[in-house]
Amino acid sequence: MTDKDNDNNKHNDNKKDNNNQTEFSFEELQKQLQEAMKNLGSKSFVMPITPQQGNKEGKKTDYRENYNSKQEKSEPEEALKIIKNFDLKPKQIKEYLDRYVIKQDEAKKVLSVAVCDHYNHIRKCMQEKNLNNEEHTKQNTILLGPTGVGKTYLVRCLANLIGVPFVKADATKYSATGYVGHDVEDLVRDLVKIANGNTELARCGIIYIDEIDKIASSTSSEGTKDVSGRGVQINLLKLMEDSEVNLQSQTDMLGQFESVMDMMHGGSKKKKKTINTRNILFIVSGSFDKLSGMIKKRIDGSMIGFGTEGIRNKAKSEYLKLAGTADFIKYGFEPEFIGRLPIRVTCSELTADDLSKILTQSEGSILKQYKEDFRGYDINLDTTGDAIKEIAEKAHNQQTGARGLMTVMEKVFRNYKFELPSTDVSTLKVTKAIITNPQKELETILSKAEAPMPAVIKKEIERFAEDFKNKHGFILDFSKAASKAIDEISRSTGKTVFEVCMDKFKDYPYGLKLITDDVKNKKFSITAKMVKNPDKALSERIADTVKNTD
């Protein structure tokens, strides 16, 4: 063996050893990941890991290559184009909101102006990059008001109109650390996901946080301060101003795995992927039940004398309209946190009349949904005015705002949806009686309704009628009662429907020819009486024909 052969063998052995080492390192990484998941108390999983192969030119293929198709990129790009050309006016936005949300005119006006100001500023920053360095106070908003008055619906409709990414979350699921509960920075990461990974679009999104009053720190009966929500407030206020959020969470195993892959491909010197929150609009809301009581107590203590009864007996929302920064701080919010929510607006309680309008005027009415549900069973839902008022009254008594409408209607119609699709009922006229006593009225409807003929029975009768027409030229028209009678005979005798028809009407070809002139267009109606005693019924028909002829 020559020295050259020895060198080649050593080269091949080294190459083989390197390949084995590469495979070992990936397998070892997978093993360590599984072990880490076990230590965290999670179920084990297998993540397929394959060493990346070079292409023909010897270049490495990026594992993220072709991650987004052109089609996936087109939607975010279209949304960005709309933002860059934003030209909506506050009145236009309010008119749009009026189509969906009943009442809350003040909230609509405030949100319309805030949104227009916010996105006009973003549009200008996109056109003139130097404006990004100028000081600008965002229109972050806090919505106050009872549950079910349309706070969430208002914000959702705004996001749909503008076409920006929208994230809704409950403040109670977040914690200060992010380990026991969720990390508030996940809100921003969710925006990026909704924007299909387009950070430029995500930076223009809207984050809506409900139940914000539940993270206010309060003083216990022992005088100690409950600071469980204080950490969440501090983390949120950072996001609401201008901060950089890492797109990979510390608790995200997949994100950590991608970071490892980046390092293995020479990306260790790359900066962390982040998104800036400068242009993300934050809107928070809550019912603030206890806050209205605090304000009421403050006002009652400062007002003495006659003529104050009307002021003292205001609705809760009227007291919330009087809330000041000092009230929010006393309620348990950090001054810095509430200071980053400069726009404050209160939504009013909904009356029974408002709930009636929601059912009849809102484009997002739950009544429309129920009509579609019944239409799916080929049943037309016709609701009277008295029924609408009764539903609204019952929903108002629930004290949950518009959410009470769903509660009332589900209770009324649950048995109707179960029973009526199996009958021949094609129209359900909803009256006040159905709303007040749904079960009694349903029993009355069912007593008058008939079960629809099974499709297989109907098909067999139609097959016999078609066969009879082709052989004898007569059209047999079976009534519902006749079809039902044939079905009953079929079940009791064990014969098929077709066999029953053949047996019952075997003499009809000859008999019908005797009364041909009496049968218009050779069409003959078959009744239940004819099915039960076909010969007698045919004889009577022939006798009547002869008698009329004489």
Side-chain angles (χ1 to χ4, degrees), residues 92-108:
Q92 291 176 311
I93 294 179
K94 184 182 179 299
E95 288 172 0
Y96 176 81
L97 295 177
D98 286 338
R99 291 163 49 189
Y100 296 91
V101 182
I102 301 300
K103 209 172 182 177
Q104 316 309 351
D105 285 341
E106 186 64 23
K108 292 174 188 174

Side-chain angles (χ1 to χ4, degrees), residues 104 132 235 264 364 377 385 434 440 486 533:
Q104 316 309 351
N132 285 313
N235 289 342
M264 294 183 67
Y377 302 115
I434 286 181
K440 181 181 177 182
I486 292 171
N533 199 334

Side-chain angles (χ1 to χ4, degrees), residues 310-351:
I311 299 175
R312 291 175 178 175
N313 295 326
K314 288 181 178 180
K316 288 183 178 181
S317 61
E318 293 300 314
Y319 285 106
L320 291 177
K321 291 178 181 179
L322 303 175
T325 300
D327 295 311
F328 285 108
I329 295 173
K330 187 177 180 181
Y331 189 77
F333 285 108
E334 296 295 309
E336 297 85 357
F337 177 77
I338 201 65
R340 283 168 173 78
L341 296 165
I343 299 176
R344 302 159 192 172
V345 61
T346 301
C347 294
S348 304
E349 291 92 344
L350 296 175
T351 65

Side-chain angles (χ1 to χ4, degrees), residues 434-452:
I434 286 181
I435 306 303
T436 55
N437 199 338
Q439 188 58 37
K440 181 181 177 182
E441 294 300 313
L442 176 60
E443 291 173 359
T444 301
I445 293 172
L446 291 176
S447 65
K448 299 177 181 178
E450 293 183 4

Side-chain angles (χ1 to χ4, degrees), residues 156-412:
R156 193 181 298 278
C157 289
L158 277 174
N160 289 339
L161 173 63
I162 302 168
V164 295
F166 171 74
V167 169
K168 176 190 178 297
D170 191 324
T172 57
K173 74 177 185 178
Y174 295 98
S175 66
T177 61
Y179 289 98
V180 182
H182 293 262
D183 184 359
V184 292
E185 291 186 350
D186 290 338
L187 290 165
V188 181
R189 298 184 189 104
D190 289 341
L191 270 184
V192 177
K193 292 177 184 177
I194 292 173
N196 291 333
N198 190 311
T199 55
E200 186 180 2
L201 176 59
R203 283 196 293 265
C204 304
I206 296 176
I207 291 178
Y208 173 67
I209 308 173
D210 197 10
E211 305 288 353
I212 198 68
D213 52 321
K214 302 301 188 295
I215 64 168
S217 57
S218 58
T219 304
S220 66
S221 58
E222 289 80 13
T224 58
K225 196 76 170 178
D226 172 23
V227 295
S228 59
R230 184 174 181 273
V232 180
Q233 292 182 43
I234 293 173
N235 289 342
L236 276 174
L237 67 87
K238 295 175 184 177
L239 295 183
M240 289 193 293
E241 274 300 307
D242 183 0
S243 63
E244 295 289 335
V245 175
N246 190 354
L247 294 181
Q248 292 179 349
S249 171
Q250 293 180 355
T251 58
D252 182 8
M253 292 299 295
L254 181 59
Q256 297 301 317
F257 173 71
E258 289 181 350
S259 297
V260 173
M261 294 292 289
D262 274 340
M263 287 191 296
M264 294 183 67
H265 289 81
S268 58
K269 295 183 179 180
K270 292 182 180 179
K271 294 181 179 180
K272 289 183 178 179
K273 299 175 184 176
T274 61
I275 178 174
N276 188 277
T277 64
R278 178 195 296 269
N279 290 328
I280 296 176
L281 181 64
F282 285 81
I283 302 176
V284 302
S285 72
S287 58
F288 291 90
D289 294 327
K290 295 180 181 179
L291 180 61
S292 59
M294 290 170 52
I295 298 172
K296 182 177 185 298
K297 186 177 180 180
R298 170 169 62 82
I299 292 175
D300 289 351
S302 63
M303 300 188 69
I304 302 174
F306 298 102
T308 62
E309 290 80 4
I311 299 175
R312 291 175 178 175
N313 295 326
K314 288 181 178 180
K316 288 183 178 181
S317 61
E318 293 300 314
Y319 285 106
L320 291 177
K321 291 178 181 179
L322 303 175
T325 300
D327 295 311
F328 285 108
I329 295 173
K330 187 177 180 181
Y331 189 77
F333 285 108
E334 296 295 309
E336 297 85 357
F337 177 77
I338 201 65
R340 283 168 173 78
L341 296 165
I343 299 176
R344 302 159 192 172
V345 61
T346 301
C347 294
S348 304
E349 291 92 344
L350 296 175
T351 65
D353 185 53
D354 295 327
L355 296 176
S356 294
K357 291 178 180 178
I358 288 175
L359 289 174
T360 57
Q361 298 179 15
S362 172
E363 291 189 19
S365 169
I366 188 68
L367 181 58
K368 290 184 177 181
Q369 178 181 319
Y370 269 80
K371 287 185 176 182
E372 286 299 320
D373 290 344
F374 276 96
R375 193 171 291 121
Y377 302 115
D378 295 323
I379 299 175
N380 180 44
L381 195 68
D382 183 15
T383 311
T384 64
D386 289 340
I388 295 290
K389 290 181 180 179
E390 188 64 22
I391 293 173
E393 288 290 346
K394 285 182 174 291
H396 186 255
N397 293 335
Q398 298 284 329
Q399 296 296 308
T400 55
R403 292 188 177 93
L405 294 171
M406 179 69 174
T407 302
V408 173
M409 295 181 73
E410 193 280 329
K411 188 175 181 180
V412 169

